[in-house]
Amino acid sequence: MENSNTEKILENVPAINVKEENGQQLVSARDLLKNIGLSTRFSRWVEQNFGQFEKDVDFTSVKTFTLVNNGAKRELQDYAITLDMAKELCMMARTEEGKRIRRYFIEVERRWNDPQEVIKRGYAYLQNQNLKLTIENKDLHKQNSLLAADNEKMKPKAIFADAVSVSDTPILIGELAKILKQNGISTLVIDGKTYAMGPNNLFKWLRANGYLISRKGTDYNTPTQRAMKMELFKIKEGTHVSGDGSVKITKTTKVTGKGQIYFVNKFTKIA
């Protein structure tokens, strides 16, 4: 019997969209006016009937659009009204159409409050929340993994930088080549050609890039004026006694702590 009565209520009722938003059932005021048998202009109908209702409780202002003759969209004022307000407006219309639609809203509300429907909505809400949490957890896990990978990648460089920044002991260029390899720099490029990282090739790269003097002579492989101003190198002078008893002055180019950090950072950027 209940199903039969329900079908009768729903017979010949115009399709009025009842949407759910934040746990409320809402209806378009314009849609309602079109279907309750009144010919009143929308703005006047609102002025005459909305005064006894509370804004932002029973209804909220919204915008809708309609197509005009040239195909363009024209903005229209509309209101999202609660189902309770819609039922009252139907009664206030005092029309057969209004009575019929009011009964339709009552049936929609009855179905909405049916225990099975309440359980379904609750289950759907929980599923949605679980999905959000799953996505958020995946995003956090991904971010943590990336941060951990970055930390591991940067750890050798950080330890190296901390160590050399407090050290006043310069190192040989051959030792710098070893440090660069330990920091993942296995190759270098000179004049467009790729070479393996090593002492001889690093000397060649430093000459090609203006850090060491490339001109043959007593200053060969010593720092350029620019490199000295940057405090990348120090020159250690010594003496060497040859077989014939003559004494020669030797110059050894060494890389300062500042220079070590500079070249590790430079080659890391290049890589």
Side-chain angles (χ1 to χ4, degrees), residues 114-131:
D114 183 274
Q116 289 186 343
E117 292 300 318
V118 173
I119 291 171
K120 282 182 184 178
R121 288 198 303 275
Y123 182 68
Y125 173 79
L126 289 175
Q127 280 189 315
N128 188 45
Q129 291 300 108
N130 287 336
L131 179 61

Side-chain angles (χ1 to χ4, degrees), residues 180-193:
L180 290 170
K181 289 183 75 172
Q182 289 170 0
N183 280 269
I185 311 300
S186 58
T187 60
L188 41 73
V189 177
I190 306 169
D191 297 328
K193 294 182 180 179

Side-chain angles (χ1 to χ4, degrees), residues 12 152 195:
N12 303 317
E152 286 301 313
Y195 298 85

Side-chain angles (χ1 to χ4, degrees), residues 204-231:
K204 189 184 295 185
W205 185 92
L206 290 168
R207 291 194 298 269
N209 287 275
Y211 294 102
L212 297 181
I213 295 172
S214 59
R215 182 183 64 256
K216 295 289 186 179
T218 56
D219 291 333
Y220 183 65
N221 274 347
T222 59
T224 61
Q225 189 175 3
R226 177 182 71 120
M228 289 299 288
K229 283 185 177 179
M230 295 171 68
E231 299 179 346

Side-chain angles (χ1 to χ4, degrees), residues 1-11 103 107 110-111:
M1 179 68 73
E2 184 179 349
N3 288 338
S4 176
N5 290 336
T6 299
E7 294 304 320
K8 285 181 180 179
I9 291 170
L10 298 179
E11 277 181 6
R103 288 196 296 270
E107 177 58 26
R110 187 193 67 78
R111 292 186 178 189

Side-chain angles (χ1 to χ4, degrees), residues 27-34 40-47 50 55-56 59-67 73-81 85:
V27 176
S28 161
R30 283 188 177 273
D31 283 353
L32 181 63
L33 178 60
K34 287 177 186 176
T40 312
R41 191 173 70 251
F42 179 72
S43 59
R44 183 167 177 75
W45 176 71
V46 169
E47 185 180 339
F50 279 37
K55 186 179 179 182
D56 295 328
F59 67 95
T60 54
S61 176
V62 296
K63 299 295 182 183
T64 188
F65 296 91
T66 185
L67 291 176
K73 286 184 177 181
R74 183 163 65 91
E75 189 177 80
L76 295 174
Q77 175 65 56
D78 196 3
Y79 298 91
I81 61 178
M85 178 174 171

